[in-house]
Amino acid sequence: MAQCVQSVQEFIQDSFVPLVAALCSEEAERLTRKNNLGFSELVKPFCRLTSEVHMRDPNNQLHVIKNLKIAVNNIITHSPQPGGIRKLLNDVVSVSQPAEGLVANVITAGDYDLNISDRSVKASVPWYNNWKDTLMELNTSTFYSATTPWFESYRESFLQSMPASDHEFLNHYVACMLVVSSGEPEPVEQFLKLSQEQHRIQHSSEYAYPKWFIPNTLKYYVLLHDVSAGEEQRADSVYEEMKQRYGTQGCYLLKINSRGSNRGADEQIPDPWSQYLQKNSIQTQESYDDGPYSVISNKNADHLISDGLDNDIQDGLSNNFKAHPLQLDHLSDTSTSFDATEYIKTTTSPHESKKTSSGTPHGTCLTLTDHDRIRQFIQEFTFRGLLPHIEKTIRQLNDQLISRKGLSRSLFSATKKWFSGSKVPEKSINELKNTSGLLYPPEAPELQIRKMADLCFLVQHYELAYSCYHTAKKDFLNDQAMLYAAGALEMAAVSAFLQPGAPRPYPAHYMDTAIQTYRDICKNMMLAERCVLLSAEILKSQSKYSDAAALLIRLTSEDSDLRSALLLEQAAHCFINMKSPMVRKFAFHMILAGHRYSKAGQKKHALRCYCQAMQVYKGKGWSLAEDHINFTIGRQSFTLRQLDNAVSAFRHILINDSKQPAAQQGTFLREYLYVYKNVTQLSPDGPLPQLPLPYINNSATRVFFGHDRRPAEGEKQAATHISLDQEYDCESSHQWKELEEQVVAVVNKGIIPSNFQPTQYCLNSYSDNSKFPLAVVEEPVTVEVAFRNPLKVPLLLTDLSLLWKFQPKDFNAKHNGETKELACGNDMIGAEVIAEFLINSEETKMARLKLFPHQTGELHILGVVYNLGTIQGTMMLDGIDPSIGLQAGKFVYNGMSVRGRQDLEIQGPRLNNTKEEKTSIKYGPDRRLDPIITEEMPLLEVFFINFPTGLLCGEIRKAYVEFVNVSKCPLTALKVVSKHPEFFTFGGNTAVLTPLSPSASENCSAYKTVVTDSTSVCTALMSSASSVNFGVGTGSQPEVIHVPLPDSVLLPGASVQLPMWLHGPDEEGVHEINFLFYYESIKKHSKMCHRVLRHTAVICTSRSLNVRATVCRSNALEDEGKGDNMLVFVDVENINTSEAGVKEFHIVQVSSNSKHWKLQKAVNLSEDKDYKLASRERGKLCFKAVRCKNSGENYTFADIVFGNEQIISSASPCADFFFRSLSSELKRTHTQSNMFQGAVKQSFDEAVRLIQKCSKVDLNIVVLWKAYVVEDNKQLILEGQHHILLHTVGKEAYSFPQKQESPEMVFLKFFRPESSSLPTRPTPDQLSNLIKTSLHYPESFNHSFHQKSLCLVPVTLLLSNCSEADVDVIIDLRHKTTSPEALEIHGSFTWLGQTQYKLQLKNQEVCSLQLKACFVRTGVYNLGTHRVFAKLADQVTLFETSQQNSMPALIIINNI
């Protein structure tokens, strides 16, 4: 049970006190009314004696009475009405509430911190295993007071209001005070009248109430004297007469009102009456006189929530909770308890009506001396009048019992023994039914024993009282007078407990028998309740909390909700105060108590009980219990007009993951909306409330700047750009950023500005949101909000829009004016409103809301505002089952909605850079909802016309691009940047000047062609071009391409179509090619310098031709002195799998382009000029290449045509793609060489550089082809070109990139790098290319060995210097072939004449030496036995190596 202010002994002693009646004359009552008090109220605060009292028991032993209290009450001649008692008790409990605003008492029980009481004490436990000690320490602490004052007030009022009964004498009057004023004409006569009146009330049969202890009631005569108004001498004389008439022990002169009522309240007098008068004591019973009564129903007392709901809501509630024992009744109670119907007297007495609220001052005419006089009066009355009278009465009763005992006891016992023959056994309670109607006459010996026991109990003589009760109990049980027996058992148990020294244990079974008898046999619940209250308090004092709780729970019943609620609450406190606290039992019984409080109309107490139980249930996963408690708390709070608490409780039901069925969730939601509507109606002009539904995933909020992308129109395909429908790709985002940085660096001459901010059109949780994003005025800002409906019922949001704040600023002004915040207005920001937005059950749905800024400044998007409502989902709508999901526009709106808001608060990324940030939890800013609205900027839209989705590898296709300026300001500096510049071209500077030839336009060819003469098949047609004309000049980035706009400006509303040639990538597969279009405004802005537009083209390429080429030096030195020549071998293989319907490929032209070399003619061309390859066929072409004349920086183009039309390879688009592939290849090889070389840069010696340059050729081959495709019975001609870049002599080159083989795994070696200062030596291959040698001799030589045995053959040795420096050459003819195979095959010969030559060859010089070879017999001989050594002329270090002849020089010697 809850802690009480009094001890158990004090509580029981104060519950049973001697009762004294007060009968006052009207004049005496008038004197006391000057103080706003009746006589009984006047003396009430002074009725407890401050000193010990002594009296003697019948055995003449001295008995000490401590802390005695008496009760003085007005005589009420009717018994209290049950309805009045119930009304009083209900009011007592209602008035007593926990104090507001105090720190709550927290009991820590196990894992629970329970906020139980209204007093301030805080308990905390360090660990779980110490909670028992903490609880015990709390229970014994003087600061611990988990009190329930409403229960104590109820208990006190209940005990005081119990009507007097005939089976006990504890509430019978022992004495009567007759009070007369000294100001009356004949006070003595007035005393006589009052005495006669008292005698008539006690002994007349017309008055059955009140009850009197003994016939000879003590009369005590009190003369009341008004000191301020009366004559003191007259009062003294009257008092003297009274003493002579009634004796000094039987009368008293009480002087009051020493202070006149008209005096100023200069002296502060304490008011001890207020605490008593607030309790509305039942003893002031004028309000319950017999009179007319009215029936008042509480049906309209409380405005219940269901009044505001539709009928289906009430039905849903009653159906769902009909069988639930904890369900709060949502309609008025129909039980028979006093809560439903109260009997209240309609008219009150004049005295009662004078009683005002506690604010009225009491005792205004009394001084502290008067207080002492009243206290002294009570002392005198008790000492001299009451106690001697009680002592005398006890003696008389004892004597009567002793004198009567012999006859009566012996007679009765003898008779019983005669007939029964033995002792009568005690019968059980069940056998003693129908015997409660037995009544004893007043003078019966059994009642005299009970009367004596009650008197002894009232004066704290508990030992004698127990003895008498015990004796009476036996007699009553023998007579089967069960009501009397139960009363004796009850008081015997209490007397046994109160005996000093505790000679015997508390007989709890006495109480149990008494309770069962009262309840089951006598049907008297009031007496049973008194037993329970006394016994539970005693058991609690003995720490028998479990027994006390069981006792309290046993008395709960349906006849009184208030009593059941109070007892269940006390039982709950018993469970929490156990040695091992039963926290969940505490919570469960608090729920039960709250339910009964609610039925009793005690809404505040019901709410308090549910709130205390919630402390245990919350967070434990018992969601259904939590829902019920929160629902009840919400309803009770609403009934009590605590709307904020009601909203909070319903909010908890909705925001937790509810396991309730859909119908119940719908009920909860409608209740919540109804409550919220009432809250908003109270303050319609207040701020919008925060709504709990639907959930918003703040981090998933995305912001998009700009217009929605226009879809494709026919052949026009709009640039993909970026939209909210695209998924975020981190890698792709990084690529776009790199592209933008690349073009910005080109525009700013290689430097990225410090204030550069990458353009971000779509902001999400992955993007960099640390800076304020930039938006453009008059362009929409779209915010995508992720809503989630956690309920199983649909939610309907209406009038959904964004909530924002805007600060206008002029960014062009040099000094910004004061930033002033303006109210929402459509003239600055236009907001899109979504009329209806339906979220189905447990659905996540995105809402896209737009703002239209009309002025520059700073925009802050704060949240969303909407009406939250429900739909009627219980019926079939247009034949659609609501469980399937409802489509917007097909639902039925039930009109219940509230307007509110939800804030968008996005937490930034966790900071983890500095040490401080790593050791603490700090988050950076997320500014995606705070865009800066900048000045008007141009807006570009790009459309692609006839843009293919599939190409063959190397295929050339012509398309068109349309650029449209849809803004109101012109744009300029249009550029496009891509990681794959070799994929497309807008044509070089020559493309605009040279229109397509007629034949090309006839054949829909993408190339510029010229009809050729049939005789020019073998020889090459020459032309030249500069890379600058095609945007691949030195120093510029090949990825950044200038778009050739007319006049370089695109005016507002203007559009331009430009041709674009596409070149299929050389690798098959799907290619994503990113284009970034960059453009600027003519007018420079401070915030936004440029804008970009993205496009991603997806091209699927299929295999076409595989081209490989090799270059090697020709041994023939033609055109003496004209430089060297080379052979170019080209392998072409058709690797197309015919998936694209390609029949065959025709090689129409092979072109070369280089600054140093050119193709001269085809070597092995067949007679058939048509060079075609069917599937999987392979062909080999051989061309002769010669060195060009010095043409500066220009490239020489040589075209070898295999058809009738020459494709001018130096014009667009052929030259464009060549130069782009050349630049990308150079970039790729540069990157690879950096990878291989690492960070250490190799320093090549000039000599090495020159030697290595000899093996470089830098000859580029372009193979142009046509393919015939059949589609839809139409033959189409596809064109294409492949590039092969030949860098080194003898090394094979490919038209497609080769896959790098991953190196084998090797062990990691740790060594210190040796710092070598020696230059890197050239490789033998590089040295072998310094000098090119060629032997000129007859292939066969006839000689007559018969005539001359030695055959001399003249041989010319041609030496050509391939390098660009002077070379020293040594020719050694003494070399002999050592290999036996060579000797066997070729035989041996001898060089005649000088065997070693030393020459110096100038740059590109050709020199010839005349040699003679001597043969001695016929045969086939290899003349290539000479050795050639070479070194650079100006180098000291010799780099010599043997020159390897690529082919043997065979000669045949014939004999004639």
Side-chain angles (χ1 to χ4, degrees):
M1 290 176 71
Q3 298 293 322
C4 297
V5 177
Q6 292 176 307
S7 68
V8 188
Q9 288 78 6
E10 291 173 341
F11 156 63
I12 297 176
Q13 287 173 10
D14 288 355
S15 301
F16 301 101
V17 296
L19 294 184
V20 179
L23 200 58
C24 303
S25 67
E26 290 186 7
E27 183 63 22
E29 192 70 27
R30 188 185 64 80
L31 291 184
T32 60
R33 283 296 167 191
K34 288 184 178 181
N35 300 288
N36 296 319
L37 298 165
F39 179 77
S40 60
E41 295 168 345
L42 180 71
V43 299
K44 189 178 286 290
F46 311 101
C47 284
R48 187 183 295 279
L49 302 187
T50 56
S51 59
E52 294 182 353
V53 189
H54 300 84
M55 64 173 287
R56 293 190 178 273
D57 61 12
N59 296 326
N60 211 25
Q61 297 292 322
L62 191 65
H63 172 60
V64 180
I65 306 172
K66 298 179 181 179
N67 204 23
L68 179 64
K69 179 185 176 185
I70 65 172
V72 180
N73 299 324
N74 294 336
I75 290 181
I76 309 297
T77 56
H78 65 84
S79 61
Q81 295 294 323
I85 295 174
R86 289 198 294 264
K87 176 68 171 67
L88 168 77
L89 297 177
N90 192 45
D91 292 344
V92 165
V93 175
S94 294
V95 168
S96 181
Q97 296 290 339
E100 297 288 338
L102 292 180
V103 180
N105 177 18
V106 176
I107 295 182
T108 303
D111 292 336
Y112 306 92
D113 290 332
L114 302 180
N115 176 346
I116 289 195
S117 178
D118 55 318
R119 308 295 167 85
S120 57
V121 62
K122 179 75 177 176
S124 59
V125 287
W127 300 105
Y128 176 78
N129 57 356
N130 291 335
W131 55 265
K132 294 181 183 177
D133 299 334
T134 306
L135 272 177
M136 296 308 296
E137 184 181 333
L138 276 171
N139 289 334
T140 56
S141 169
T142 56
F143 298 102
Y144 171 70
S145 58
T147 58
T148 49
W150 49 92
F151 173 71
E152 294 176 35
S153 300
Y154 168 85
R155 188 176 59 188
E156 182 180 350
S157 299
F158 171 78
L159 293 172
Q160 289 179 2
S161 66
M162 288 197 69
S165 175
D166 289 330
H167 80 287
E168 63 182 14
F169 303 93
L170 291 166
N171 357 1
H172 292 200
Y173 286 109
V174 182
C176 181
M177 290 182 182
L178 305 176
V179 186
V180 174
S181 170
S182 63
E184 296 194 30
E186 295 293 336
V188 178
E189 287 186 10
Q190 191 67 34
F191 276 126
L192 286 174
K193 286 182 182 180
L194 292 177
S195 178
Q196 291 169 3
E197 176 72 16
Q198 187 276 331
H199 188 272
R200 188 171 65 84
I201 292 173
Q202 180 174 356
H203 296 287
S204 172
S205 60
E206 61 179 297
Y207 291 105
Y209 202 85
K211 306 286 185 181
W212 302 89
F213 216 100
I214 55 176
N216 186 17
T217 301
L218 169 68
K219 295 184 180 66
Y220 196 77
Y221 301 89
V222 181
L223 183 65
L224 205 58
H225 175 62
D226 190 334
V227 175
S228 62
E231 300 177 14
E232 192 165 350
Q233 290 181 353
R234 185 172 186 274
D236 290 341
S237 64
V238 173
Y239 181 54
E240 286 299 325
E241 186 180 353
M242 289 169 58
K243 285 197 286 188
Q244 292 176 6
R245 182 184 289 267
Y246 306 118
T248 57
Q249 308 290 334
C251 59
Y252 193 84
L253 172 61
L254 177 58
K255 298 178 181 180
I256 61 171
N257 297 351
S258 298
R259 184 170 63 167
S261 59
N262 56 354
R263 274 194 206 168
D266 52 350
E267 185 182 0
Q268 291 292 330
I269 302 297
D271 181 4
W273 294 275
S274 57
Q275 58 177 323
Y276 295 98
L277 297 181
Q278 283 177 1
K279 293 181 180 177
N280 249 339
S281 174
I282 193 66
Q283 303 304 329
T284 317
Q285 294 196 20
E286 290 89 352
S287 60
Y288 300 108
D289 289 338
D290 293 21
Y293 289 84
S294 63
V295 178
I296 297 180
S297 171
N298 73 342
K299 283 188 179 182
N300 300 319
D302 295 322
H303 300 285
L304 297 175
I305 292 176
S306 54
D307 298 342
L309 301 179
D310 298 339
N311 293 329
D312 63 329
I313 302 175
Q314 296 183 10
D315 296 342
L317 272 176
S318 57
N319 290 336
N320 287 322
F321 284 94
K322 186 181 291 181
H324 202 297
L326 297 182
Q327 165 57 22
L328 169 67
D329 49 325
H330 53 82
L331 298 174
S332 56
D333 296 314
T334 56
S335 65
T336 57
S337 66
F338 74 90
D339 306 299
T341 307
E342 310 296 351
Y343 295 90
I344 305 172
K345 183 172 178 283
T346 55
T347 60
T348 57
S349 66
H351 299 312
E352 193 67 16
S353 62
K354 288 179 186 176
K355 237 188 270 182
T356 56
S357 64
S358 59
T360 305
H362 305 290
T364 53
C365 298
L366 302 177
T367 62
L368 290 177
T369 307
D370 292 333
H371 291 192
D372 293 337
R373 286 171 180 159
I374 299 172
R375 190 177 291 108
Q376 184 64 31
F377 157 65
I378 295 295
Q379 296 260 12
E380 286 292 321
F381 165 71
T382 309
F383 288 179
R384 298 181 183 280
L386 182 62
L387 289 180
H389 174 71
I390 293 176
E391 183 179 342
K392 177 183 170 185
T393 306
I394 292 175
R395 285 179 182 277
Q396 288 176 353
L397 290 171
N398 188 54
D399 292 343
Q400 288 178 19
L401 290 172
I402 290 174
S403 63
R404 290 186 184 181
K405 189 174 184 181
L407 177 64
S408 63
R409 291 295 94 191
S410 59
L411 179 62
F412 286 133
S413 59
T415 307
K416 289 174 183 174
K417 286 179 183 178
W418 177 263
F419 286 103
S420 64
S422 63
K423 183 181 177 183
V424 179
E426 291 188 9
K427 297 183 178 181
S428 68
I429 294 296
N430 294 326
E431 296 176 39
L432 297 176
K433 299 201 174 172
N434 303 322
T435 57
S436 60
L438 178 62
L439 294 176
Y440 289 97
E443 62 277 358
E446 289 85 356
L447 287 189
Q448 302 306 315
I449 296 176
R450 172 66 201 247
K451 192 176 290 186
M452 178 178 168
D454 286 346
L455 270 179
C456 294
F457 188 88
L458 291 175
V459 294
Q460 302 177 11
H461 202 318
Y462 300 118
E463 190 172 353
L464 182 55
Y466 175 76
S467 178
C468 294
Y469 285 131
H470 199 267
T471 304
K473 179 255 306 182
K474 290 181 179 178
D475 291 339
F476 292 140
L477 284 175
N478 286 334
D479 296 338
Q480 297 187 11
M482 297 313 298
L483 179 63
Y484 296 87
L489 283 166
E490 174 189 3
M491 297 313 296
V494 176
S495 301
F497 171 73
L498 291 176
Q499 285 183 48
R504 54 178 62 84
Y506 169 63
H509 60 287
Y510 280 12
M511 275 292 192
D512 295 341
T513 306
I515 293 169
Q516 193 173 357
T517 304
Y518 282 143
R519 187 184 63 186
D520 298 336
I521 297 176
C522 305
K523 308 297 181 185
N524 192 325
M525 292 301 292
M526 287 188 76
L527 293 171
E529 183 177 352
R530 184 181 71 181
C531 278
V532 167
L533 294 176
L534 295 173
S535 183
E537 204 56 48
I538 293 169
L539 291 170
K540 185 195 72 171
S541 69
Q542 297 175 340
S543 298
K544 296 179 180 178
Y545 291 104
S546 180
D547 296 340
L551 195 63
L552 292 163
I553 294 169
R554 198 184 310 158
L555 203 66
T556 57
S557 61
E558 292 300 321
D559 63 327
S560 174
D561 289 314
L562 182 64
R563 180 186 71 234
S564 300
L566 288 160
L567 297 185
L568 283 168
E569 183 180 12
Q570 295 306 307
H573 281 280
C574 288
F575 289 125
I576 203 65
N577 280 300
M578 288 182 181
K579 191 175 181 181
S580 297
M582 304 176 79
V583 184
R584 288 180 296 194
K585 275 202 172 187
F586 159 79
F588 181 69
H589 285 85
M590 287 301 282
I591 294 288
L592 296 176
H595 176 60
R596 299 305 291 269
Y597 270 131
S598 176
K599 291 181 70 177
Q602 299 284 346
K603 306 297 182 186
K604 288 186 178 179
H605 287 295
L607 178 60
R608 177 185 48 76
C609 288
Y610 276 99
C611 289
Q612 288 185 6
M614 188 52 155
Q615 298 173 83
V616 175
Y617 285 111
K618 68 180 179 183
K620 301 296 182 298
W622 294 7
S623 60
L624 296 179
E626 276 192 70
D627 288 349
H628 169 78
I629 297 171
N630 275 315
F631 181 72
T632 311
I633 288 174
R635 279 198 154 186
Q636 298 288 10
S637 300
F638 179 80
T639 307
L640 296 169
R641 308 312 293 169
Q642 299 176 8
L643 299 181
D644 290 339
N645 291 342
V647 167
S648 176
F650 281 115
R651 180 188 182 94
H652 278 294
I653 300 178
L654 298 175
I655 63 176
N656 293 330
D657 291 332
S658 175
K659 296 182 175 62
Q660 299 282 2
Q664 192 61 51
Q665 288 185 0
T667 303
F668 287 159
L669 180 59
R670 289 192 292 272
E671 294 262 3
Y672 170 78
L673 295 177
Y674 180 74
V675 172
Y676 228 135
K677 206 162 192 177
N678 281 269
V679 174
T680 53
Q681 285 172 357
L682 291 179
S683 56
D685 299 329
L688 283 174
Q690 293 280 345
L691 294 175
L693 290 175
Y695 291 174
I696 292 181
N697 185 356
N698 283 318
S699 63
T701 302
R702 297 195 295 168
V703 185
F704 178 72
F705 302 102
H707 296 281
D708 293 335
R709 174 174 166 264
R710 281 203 281 179
E713 300 172 1
E715 292 296 320
K716 283 189 178 182
Q717 177 189 347
T720 55
H721 196 42
I722 188 169
S723 70
L724 286 170
D725 297 324
Q726 298 171 359
E727 292 291 331
Y728 178 82
D729 182 4
C730 181
E731 184 179 351
S732 171
S733 176
H734 185 67
Q735 288 180 6
W736 289 116
K737 182 183 174 183
E738 284 184 349
L739 288 174
E740 187 173 359
E741 287 177 350
Q742 205 169 354
V743 68
V744 168
V746 169
V747 170
N748 291 278
K749 300 178 181 178
I751 300 170
I752 297 178
S754 59
N755 61 346
F756 168 70
Q757 186 174 340
T759 304
Q760 296 188 101
Y761 284 103
C762 184
L763 301 179
N764 51 35
S765 56
Y766 304 104
S767 56
D768 180 12
N769 305 323
S770 58
K771 296 179 181 177
F772 293 101
L774 300 177
V776 179
V777 70
E778 303 297 342
E779 293 186 16
V781 177
T782 307
V783 180
E784 184 184 79
V785 184
F787 289 111
R788 182 171 75 86
N789 178 10
L791 303 182
K792 297 172 185 172
V793 293
L795 293 178
L796 177 63
L797 310 186
T798 55
D799 296 339
L800 174 62
S801 62
L802 288 172
L803 202 61
W804 48 268
K805 182 174 71 174
F806 183 67
Q807 297 173 347
K809 280 190 177 181
D810 185 7
F811 296 112
N812 280 335
K814 294 182 179 178
H815 301 287
N816 286 336
E818 289 187 5
T819 303
K820 56 181 180 177
E821 193 173 320
L822 299 180
C824 299
N826 289 333
D827 55 339
M828 292 190 183
I829 303 288
E832 180 191 31
V833 178
I834 298 178
E836 291 177 342
F837 187 77
L838 179 69
I839 311 174
N840 284 317
S841 59
E842 298 178 336
E843 180 188 17
T844 298
K845 193 173 182 181
M846 307 296 177
R848 292 178 182 173
L849 301 161
K850 290 185 179 180
L851 293 178
F852 299 93
H854 303 305
Q855 188 171 341
T856 60
E858 296 176 358
L859 177 63
H860 302 279
I861 300 168
L862 306 177
V864 289
V865 58
Y866 54 92
N867 296 325
L868 174 62
T870 60
I871 64 168
Q872 294 178 352
T874 56
M875 61 182 70
M876 297 288 282
L877 306 171
D878 296 340
I880 300 173
D881 187 346
S883 63
I884 299 173
L886 299 169
Q887 301 297 321
K890 292 186 179 179
F891 45 80
V892 180
Y893 179 52
N894 68 358
M896 179 74 68
S897 68
V898 293
R899 188 150 188 85
R901 63 183 284 179
Q902 280 202 65
D903 292 338
L904 292 172
E905 297 174 349
I906 304 175
Q907 188 180 60
R910 170 88 181 268
L911 299 178
N912 200 27
N913 297 325
T914 64
K915 183 179 180 182
E916 181 186 358
E917 291 170 352
K918 290 178 180 177
T919 54
S920 61
I921 299 178
K922 289 187 177 181
Y923 294 92
D926 192 302
R927 298 193 169 102
R928 71 181 94 162
L929 295 176
D930 302 316
I932 294 175
I933 312 300
T934 65
E935 302 91 344
E936 199 170 18
M937 286 285 290
L939 184 61
L940 176 70
E941 285 191 356
V942 178
F943 296 95
F944 297 88
I945 303 167
N946 299 327
F947 199 88
T949 55
L951 291 173
L952 292 173
C953 291
E955 182 184 349
I956 303 292
R957 187 80 63 89
K958 186 177 182 181
Y960 288 89
V961 186
E962 184 177 12
F963 298 97
V964 185
N965 183 1
V966 295
S967 67
K968 295 181 181 179
C969 48
L971 67 84
T972 185
L974 179 59
K975 293 177 174 53
V976 62
V977 58
S978 174
K979 291 285 185 186
H980 302 276
E982 68 275 7
F983 171 69
F984 68 99
T985 179
F986 290 103
N989 295 343
T990 59
V992 184
L993 305 176
T994 55
L996 290 175
S997 58
S999 59
S1001 58
E1002 285 172 14
N1003 298 330
C1004 299
S1005 173
Y1007 294 110
K1008 180 186 176 185
T1009 59
V1010 174
V1011 178
T1012 58
D1013 186 11
S1014 59
T1015 57
S1016 62
V1017 172
C1018 298
T1019 58
L1021 303 171
M1022 301 299 164
S1023 61
S1024 67
S1026 171
S1027 62
V1028 180
N1029 295 333
F1030 298 92
V1032 196
T1034 56
S1036 70
Q1037 293 253 14
E1039 292 90 347
V1040 180
I1041 298 161
H1042 177 73
V1043 178
L1045 288 177
D1047 302 327
S1048 299
V1049 175
L1050 195 58
L1051 297 174
S1055 64
V1056 170
Q1057 274 193 11
L1058 295 177
M1060 172 189 265
W1061 288 273
L1062 306 175
H1063 180 227
D1066 290 326
E1067 286 185 76
E1068 68 167 330
V1070 178
H1071 302 268
E1072 280 194 3
I1073 298 167
N1074 294 332
F1075 299 88
L1076 185 75
F1077 294 93
Y1078 167 100
Y1079 58 98
E1080 299 174 1
S1081 173
I1082 290 181
K1083 179 184 175 185
K1084 298 300 179 185
H1085 294 285
S1086 58
K1087 289 287 183 184
M1088 190 179 286
C1089 301
H1090 67 274
R1091 301 192 80 175
V1092 295
L1093 176 69
R1094 302 176 182 179
H1095 175 64
T1096 300
V1098 179
I1099 299 291
C1100 181
T1101 55
S1102 52
R1103 292 191 279 182
S1104 58
L1105 296 178
N1106 180 7
V1107 183
R1108 292 180 293 178
T1110 315
V1111 61
C1112 58
R1113 295 195 183 278
S1114 170
N1115 284 334
L1117 287 175
E1118 300 176 0
D1119 307 327
E1120 298 170 5
K1122 293 263 179 116
D1124 52 0
N1125 51 29
M1126 293 189 295
L1127 293 177
V1128 178
F1129 298 94
V1130 179
D1131 273 345
V1132 184
E1133 182 183 2
N1134 179 2
I1135 56 173
N1136 183 264
T1137 54
S1138 299
E1139 292 173 358
V1142 180
K1143 286 183 177 179
E1144 55 190 8
F1145 286 87
H1146 293 254
I1147 309 299
V1148 294
Q1149 183 173 312
V1150 175
S1151 301
S1152 71
N1153 35 45
S1154 171
K1155 293 181 180 180
H1156 311 294
W1157 298 90
K1158 63 182 180 183
L1159 293 182
Q1160 190 181 41
K1161 61 180 178 180
V1163 175
N1164 62 341
L1165 189 66
S1166 62
E1167 293 298 326
D1168 186 6
K1169 291 198 297 183
D1170 193 6
Y1171 196 87
K1172 58 184 179 182
L1173 294 173
S1175 179
R1176 292 297 175 184
E1177 284 189 348
R1178 183 171 181 175
K1180 195 175 185 78
L1181 298 172
C1182 182
F1183 302 96
K1184 179 180 178 183
V1186 296
R1187 196 178 288 275
C1188 304
K1189 295 176 182 176
N1190 194 3
S1191 59
E1193 286 299 315
N1194 282 0
Y1195 282 77
T1196 300
F1197 288 78
D1199 302 332
I1200 295 180
V1201 184
F1202 297 147
N1204 297 324
E1205 288 184 340
Q1206 175 198 358
I1207 297 173
I1208 301 176
S1209 59
S1210 59
S1212 292
C1214 182
D1216 296 79
F1217 290 119
F1218 157 67
F1219 283 120
R1220 280 164 206 262
S1221 65
L1222 180 65
S1223 62
S1224 9
E1225 179 67 23
L1226 290 174
K1227 186 176 179 182
R1228 183 160 58 242
T1229 53
H1230 179 67
T1231 307
Q1232 289 178 358
S1233 64
N1234 282 349
M1235 284 171 54
F1236 292 132
Q1237 293 170 10
V1240 181
K1241 228 179 180 182
Q1242 298 184 9
S1243 59
F1244 287 100
D1245 198 36
E1246 183 65 20
V1248 178
R1249 190 184 66 80
L1250 288 172
I1251 292 172
Q1252 290 178 343
K1253 196 173 178 182
C1254 293
S1255 59
K1256 299 293 182 187
V1257 286
D1258 291 330
L1259 175 63
N1260 309 301
I1261 304 296
V1262 181
V1263 177
L1264 295 102
W1265 50 264
K1266 285 184 181 181
Y1268 296 94
V1269 180
V1270 178
E1271 277 188 10
D1272 300 331
N1273 297 324
K1274 292 181 181 179
Q1275 181 168 314
L1276 302 178
I1277 301 176
L1278 306 182
E1279 302 173 292
Q1281 63 187 54
H1282 284 88
H1283 311 118
I1284 307 98
L1285 309 182
L1286 295 165
H1287 298 295
T1288 312
V1289 174
K1291 188 173 181 182
E1292 193 171 30
Y1294 303 87
S1295 63
F1296 56 92
Q1298 296 296 303
K1299 291 181 180 178
Q1300 295 286 336
E1301 291 186 4
S1302 56
E1304 294 183 4
M1305 187 181 295
V1306 294
F1307 290 107
L1308 189 62
K1309 297 179 181 179
F1310 296 93
F1311 61 92
R1312 182 176 297 169
E1314 297 177 1
S1315 57
S1316 171
S1317 58
L1318 294 174
T1320 307
R1321 292 177 62 86
T1323 61
D1325 288 342
Q1326 293 169 342
L1327 289 173
S1328 67
N1329 290 322
L1330 269 178
I1331 298 296
K1332 181 177 162 186
T1333 62
S1334 177
L1335 289 172
H1336 282 238
Y1337 56 91
E1339 290 183 4
S1340 63
F1341 191 82
N1342 297 323
H1343 177 70
S1344 174
F1345 285 95
H1346 300 290
Q1347 297 176 5
K1348 198 174 183 179
S1349 59
L1350 293 179
C1351 174
L1352 301 179
V1353 178
V1355 177
T1356 304
L1357 175 63
L1358 287 178
L1359 299 172
S1360 173
N1361 181 3
C1362 297
S1363 70
E1364 296 178 359
D1366 295 346
V1367 177
D1368 291 337
V1369 183
I1370 297 175
I1371 299 101
D1372 187 2
L1373 301 178
R1374 294 172 295 179
H1375 173 65
K1376 299 294 183 184
T1377 303
T1378 55
S1379 62
E1381 293 85 358
L1383 288 173
E1384 288 177 10
I1385 296 171
H1386 305 300
S1388 178
F1389 70 98
T1390 305
W1391 291 103
L1392 299 180
Q1394 188 174 341
T1395 58
Q1396 191 178 54
Y1397 298 87
K1398 288 186 180 181
L1399 303 172
Q1400 187 179 54
L1401 297 180
K1402 301 293 183 186
N1403 178 12
Q1404 304 289 339
E1405 182 183 353
V1406 178
C1407 178
S1408 63
L1409 284 178
Q1410 300 301 324
L1411 305 178
K1412 282 188 179 181
C1414 179
F1415 303 92
V1416 293
R1417 61 178 176 267
T1418 60
V1420 179
Y1421 295 90
N1422 181 14
L1423 296 180
T1425 59
H1426 59 280
R1427 296 179 66 189
V1428 179
F1429 299 88
K1431 74 177 182 69
L1432 296 180
D1434 55 351
Q1435 292 296 318
V1436 178
T1437 311
L1438 293 175
F1439 295 124
E1440 297 189 355
T1441 183
S1442 174
Q1443 300 295 308
Q1444 301 298 323
N1445 289 318
S1446 57
M1447 295 174 64
L1450 298 179
I1451 186 172
I1452 302 172
I1453 304 299
N1454 298 318
N1455 188 14
I1456 302 175

